Amino acid sequence: QKEVEQNSGPLSVPEGAIASLNCTYSDRGSQSFFWYRQYSGKSPELIMSIYSNGDKEDGRFTAQLNKASQYVSLLIRDSQPSDSATYLCAIHLTDSWGKLQFGAGTQVVVTP
Amino acid sequence: KAGVTQTPRYLIKTRGQQVTLSCSPISGHRSVSWYQQTPGQGLQFLFEYFSETQRNKGNFPGRFSGRQFSNSRSEMNVSTLELGDSALYLCASSNPRDGYTFGSGTRLTVV
């Protein structure tokens, strides 16, 4: 079992709709959770970080964390064509600051 | 503030050669970590340096090495290059308050 799992997609989302991305992880001691966006040929860009259970909102993005279920999700509201990218879930494992464990990424395609 | 600077952006090397990549972190960040990204394996952790000390290491062969200087700039070296080393190499600068910020990466092609 991979330590961080994401649906690979592609996830096709109509413009203006909500995109829902999921990520599960295996290490119960995981402390910090990040969502990165990566456009083709570019480097990952941090869009959300979340450290405690519950929801965290930033603009059109909402991250949700449930440590009991070992699950973190990202919602993108009012999806725009510019949101078309690969979204990477990354987890910082216990006592290992500096080492991020990444999922394989979910490709999102927003269709006009 | 300035971001993470990686040089060079592109490299083409021949099998058997060695290569050195450079990463300058965000000012004030003392942790620099390196990652390899390939289509088949995704983003994989190579190693992390903090205050010139390697704190964490991923599952890569000894041909992959790194170091960090007193100004927090870091280099990674790959010796005896193989075709499979062709990848995008990313470094991330971090601290607990800011999280991880990636540089633009170095695209290495081994022929």
Side-chain angles (χ1 to χ4, degrees), chain A residues 20-97:
Chain A
S20 178
L21 307 172
N22 302 318
C23 174
T24 58
Y25 60 93
S26 60
D27 188 334
R28 286 197 169 274
S30 299
Q31 295 180 329
S32 308
F33 306 84
F34 306 90
W35 283 100
Y36 284 85
R37 176 177 62 198
Q38 187 174 28
Y39 294 112
S40 181
K42 302 294 185 182
S43 64
E45 172 193 9
L46 180 66
I47 53 173
M48 290 289 288
S49 59
I50 186 166
Y51 304 103
S52 54
N53 283 328
D55 295 358
K56 179 181 178 182
E57 186 174 318
D58 184 359
R60 296 186 295 111
F61 299 97
T62 299
Q64 300 172 317
L65 175 61
N66 184 325
K67 289 187 177 181
S69 300
Q70 295 174 247
Y71 174 93
V72 58
S73 65
L74 179 71
L75 299 177
I76 308 173
R77 291 183 302 281
D78 188 24
S79 295
Q80 301 297 309
S82 60
D83 295 326
S84 297
T86 296
Y87 290 80
L88 297 159
C89 172
I91 290 169
H92 162 221
L93 302 178
T94 308
D95 297 328
S96 63
W97 184 268

Side-chain angles (χ1 to χ4, degrees), chain B residues 3 19 23 27 29-30 42 56 82-84 94 102-103 111:
Chain B
V19 66
C23 174
S27 177
H29 286 190
R30 293 161 64 187
N56 288 292
E82 301 177 359
L83 294 178
S94 68
F102 282 86
V111 298

